[in-house]
Amino acid sequence: MSIEKSVQGFLVAAGMIMASVTCVAQQLQQPKITHAQLSVKSDVSLQQEIQTAQASTWIGYSIPVTHRMNSGWDSDVVHLEGNKDDGEQILSAPPDAAIPPAVVLVRVTAGKVERVQIEQMDRQIEAGGLPFVWLTNISPVNSVQTLKKIVEANIVAAGSTETPAEGDSRSATRESERSHRRMQDTGIVAIALTDTPEATSALRSLTATTYPEQVRERAAFWLANERGSEGFKAVSELLRNDHDDAFREKLVFDLTLVKGDSKSAAIGELIATAKSDTSPKVRSQAQFWLAQAAGKKAEGDPRIVQTLRQQASDDPNAAIRKSAVFALSRLPEEQGVPELIQVASTSKDAATRREAIFWLGQSKDPRALAYLEKVVRE
């Protein structure tokens, strides 16, 4: 056998091995799909695949995610059709050395998206006998862009629905509105979980004032919860600069969801908000959520109690002093009771002292009871 033929034979064998490895890799990136008219396509446009689907069809593909995902269901099987209760219930799973991709499922009829669902890769998917197209090599950017278009299409659809006065038509319209909002919410969650910088940009754009309040709130929530330091920066900027105080009150809570290296900076942002925001309601919300954060022993920050103590004693706004005292009452008793006793004993404002005494009266802590008995005797 010549050297040339040996080399050719080696190359052919190597090609077969590489093809087998590629096939196995693709299978590892694809869930088990049953009761489906299954087809697999590679290197196609997700948006085009949605637009060309006429008969009711499920389209599925995988996305890289920022952490291991747990959909929260005990069953190993997800039923896409019928009355099975397989709605989204996204939970964070414990850290894992290898992070498997998640599965995005889109139900389409006549080019129109009717449902979006996110699942774990290791759950079996039962498609109810419908055509199921599994798409390989969908880029994270393509997924994010398509999901954002789905969210926007359902915003338009929900906004154009007119509610009939009564009867079955009214019930059907309400269900349609709920369906549109579910697709908005699930689309936003799927974007948030995707491990690509494009996801942060997409969520940030969905907080613009041109979008409905519900969409803005959901996008901000997931920015803080899933998008790391860049998400924290985006939410902080909104909190400082947005003109809708009701929206900014929600952003205060969102900052308590920030994790990792940005956690301390988020507490600092809440403290700054409690001290100097232009809206008393936003300041009060910041005080409340600071107290909740201080109650988590693993995340306790001495700056929190110092801030609440100072505001309860010295803030020129009576409403802020009152809400600071309430926030002190929300601290764990080992922290809160001594602080309330201090305010009740030393505040120069009678209303603030009465407020502190009131909340001490709600406590069963022996120190609180002893202090109240002392006040009665005096």
Side-chain angles (χ1 to χ4, degrees):
M1 181 181 295
S2 68
I3 294 176
E4 182 179 352
K5 289 185 177 180
S6 298
V7 171
Q8 288 177 345
F10 172 78
L11 292 175
V12 170
M16 293 175 63
I17 292 171
M18 290 301 296
S20 298
V21 170
T22 301
C23 181
V24 170
Q26 287 182 349
Q27 289 177 352
L28 291 174
Q29 300 294 306
Q30 178 179 326
K32 183 178 180 181
I33 302 165
T34 61
H35 197 200
Q37 303 169 43
L38 179 62
S39 61
V40 179
K41 296 183 180 181
S42 180
D43 299 321
V44 298
S45 164
L46 174 56
Q47 187 64 33
Q48 183 177 356
E49 199 65 31
I50 290 172
Q51 291 172 349
T52 56
Q54 294 304 307
S56 294
T57 302
W58 281 96
I59 298 172
Y61 61 93
S62 66
I63 56 171
V65 287
T66 53
H67 57 76
R68 189 177 181 88
M69 195 197 86
N70 177 2
S71 60
W73 301 105
D74 294 331
S75 172
D76 293 330
V77 181
V78 53
H79 298 267
L80 298 182
E81 299 294 321
N83 295 320
K84 300 290 185 179
D85 186 9
D86 290 310
E88 287 73 27
Q89 184 181 347
I90 306 302
L91 304 173
S92 295
D96 196 284
I99 302 176
V103 175
V104 178
L105 302 167
V106 183
R107 192 184 196 277
V108 184
T109 300
K112 180 181 178 182
V113 175
E114 299 175 320
R115 186 172 161 193
V116 179
Q117 191 160 327
I118 316 166
E119 287 297 338
Q120 297 166 230
M121 181 62 76
D122 57 0
R123 288 191 82 192
Q124 178 180 319
I125 296 173
E126 207 278 359
L130 290 185
F132 191 111
V133 182
W134 179 258
L135 305 179
T136 65
N137 300 326
I138 296 297
S139 73
V141 172
N142 187 359
S143 174
V144 167
Q145 292 172 343
T146 302
L147 289 166
K148 185 168 181 261
K149 289 179 180 177
I150 291 172
V151 171
E152 291 171 334
N154 279 276
I155 292 171
V156 173
S160 62
T161 304
E162 295 184 4
T163 304
E166 58 184 18
D168 294 339
S169 296
R170 186 180 181 88
S171 298
T173 299
R174 286 177 174 172
E175 178 54 38
S176 176
E177 290 173 349
R178 285 192 290 268
S179 176
H180 290 311
R181 289 196 171 90
R182 279 195 299 269
M183 280 193 279
Q184 293 169 29
D185 290 347
T186 308
I188 289 171
V189 172
I191 291 170
L193 293 173
T194 307
D195 190 8
T196 176
E198 183 78 14
T200 304
S201 299
L203 291 175
R204 181 64 180 87
S205 70
L206 288 170
T207 64
T209 55
T210 51
Y211 290 99
E213 181 180 357
Q214 178 192 10
V215 172
R216 300 185 74 208
E217 291 174 0
R218 294 291 286 174
F221 174 93
W222 287 106
L223 273 169
N225 197 40
E226 288 290 341
R227 301 311 305 177
S229 61
E230 293 303 313
F232 158 65
K233 291 176 184 176
V235 174
S236 296
E237 181 182 340
L238 286 167
L239 180 58
R240 290 191 295 267
N241 300 325
D242 199 88
H243 298 298
D244 184 343
D245 285 350
F247 176 58
R248 295 195 308 115
E249 287 181 49
K250 304 289 180 61
L251 297 177
V252 169
F253 166 72
D254 294 342
L255 285 179
T256 68
L257 305 174
V258 174
K259 300 180 279 288
D261 295 340
S262 298
K263 180 67 180 178
S264 179
I267 294 296
E269 190 72 30
L270 285 172
I271 289 172
T273 301
K275 287 181 175 180
S276 58
D277 195 88
T278 56
S279 166
K281 288 186 177 180
V282 173
R283 293 183 69 189
S284 295
Q285 281 292 305
Q287 290 171 336
F288 175 83
W289 288 112
L290 280 169
Q292 301 305 305
K296 300 176 182 178
K297 293 183 179 179
E299 302 173 0
D301 188 319
R303 295 176 296 170
I304 296 175
V305 176
Q306 293 168 7
T307 298
L308 296 177
R309 180 195 305 135
Q310 184 272 327
Q311 291 189 316
S313 300
D314 302 329
D315 198 276
N317 187 318
I320 293 299
R321 292 197 300 272
K322 181 176 181 179
S323 60
V325 172
F326 173 71
L328 289 173
S329 77
R330 299 301 91 191
L331 294 171
E333 288 193 333
E334 63 270 18
Q335 293 177 291
V337 168
E339 295 296 335
L340 288 172
I341 291 174
Q342 180 72 10
V343 172
S345 302
T346 64
S347 176
K348 298 176 182 179
D349 178 60
T352 302
R353 294 197 302 272
R354 286 195 298 271
E355 192 72 17
I357 289 171
F358 171 82
W359 287 112
L360 285 168
Q362 308 306 304
S363 172
K364 296 181 181 179
D365 188 285
R367 294 168 298 177
L369 297 176
Y371 177 79
L372 294 175
E373 289 174 357
K374 177 183 174 183
V375 170
V376 171
R377 288 196 300 270
E378 294 177 352

